Amino acid sequence: MTGFGIMKLSYTPLSIYYLTNSEKRMYSREELKQLKKEFWEGFGTYCSLVPALKRRKSKFMLYNTKMKGVELKFDATRKGASVILEINLSNATKRLEKYEQFKLYKSTMEKQFPKGLIWDLAYIRECGTEVSRIYTEKNDIDLHRRIQWMEFYQFMATEMMKLEKAFKLVKEVME
């Protein structure tokens, strides 16, 4: 049982069952897909209302970092939200070299982040691929709880703007 009164009962490839305030709910794959679609559409709407993002042609740079093997990403799950700088070069040596380059500028990157960033040299994705990640996260919010979506949106937009700014500063020096 978690602090939110949710207890996971079982998981099958077709659905997830859980108990919320003594209410049994089941999500099919299609319902989960729809929930995630609504979440990301809501995030897009939220970003279009944020004054700092309104004037931007593209809200966030994400995959368009113009640095080979480096991407900025969002992750939203039942455990929380993450804003990520991912180094995903397939050559492990080059990936580690790029990670070490960023690490040289750790203090510059973390200026915007009072609690610092999480530096993970060897993060294993769900698909089994090893990447390096520099990220910040907010735990204890659940993607399945629509009432918490505004917390996700605020965290993700604010933190991505800060991570982009840090990335741009470091990128200029690295080039």
Side-chain angles (χ1 to χ4, degrees), residues 2 6 14 26 32-33 38 46 49 54 60 72 78 89 94 97 110 113-114 120 143 145 148 160 162 170:
T2 68
I6 299 173
L14 298 176
M26 179 180 96
L32 285 172
K33 185 177 176 182
E38 289 173 22
Y46 173 83
L49 301 174
K54 262 186 183 178
F60 300 105
L72 299 176
R78 301 214 52 202
L89 294 162
K94 288 183 180 181
E97 286 172 3
E110 291 187 341
F113 300 89
D120 194 339
L143 179 66
R145 296 176 61 103
Q148 294 179 337
M160 184 57 83
K162 293 188 317 189
V170 170

Side-chain angles (χ1 to χ4, degrees), residues 13-107:
L14 298 176
S15 61
I16 295 176
Y17 299 87
Y18 66 91
L19 195 62
T20 307
N21 299 331
S22 73
E23 173 190 341
K24 188 175 181 180
R25 304 257 338 244
M26 179 180 96
Y27 285 110
S28 68
R29 271 191 197 182
E30 198 55 45
E31 289 169 326
L32 285 172
K33 185 177 176 182
Q34 183 63 31
L35 182 78
K36 288 177 182 178
K37 180 180 181 226
E38 289 173 22
F39 173 83
W40 290 109
E41 287 171 349
F43 182 56
T45 301
Y46 173 83
C47 289
S48 69
L49 301 174
V50 174
L53 296 173
K54 262 186 183 178
R55 292 170 255 119
R56 293 171 82 169
K57 181 180 175 185
S58 176
K59 299 300 179 209
F60 300 105
M61 72 172 52
L62 303 178
Y63 300 99
N64 191 24
T65 62
K66 296 186 171 108
M67 185 179 278
K68 185 178 180 180
V70 177
E71 299 171 343
L72 299 176
K73 297 180 172 192
F74 295 106
D75 193 18
T77 67
R78 301 214 52 202
K79 294 178 182 178
S82 300
V83 175
I84 307 157
L85 184 151
E86 184 174 276
I87 306 164
N88 56 25
L89 294 162
S90 56
N91 180 312
T93 304
K94 288 183 180 181
R95 177 175 50 84
L96 299 176
E97 286 172 3
K98 184 70 71 179
Y99 177 83
E100 289 301 321
Q101 282 182 317
F102 277 104
K103 196 121 190 199
L104 290 173
Y105 302 101
K106 182 176 181 175
S107 62

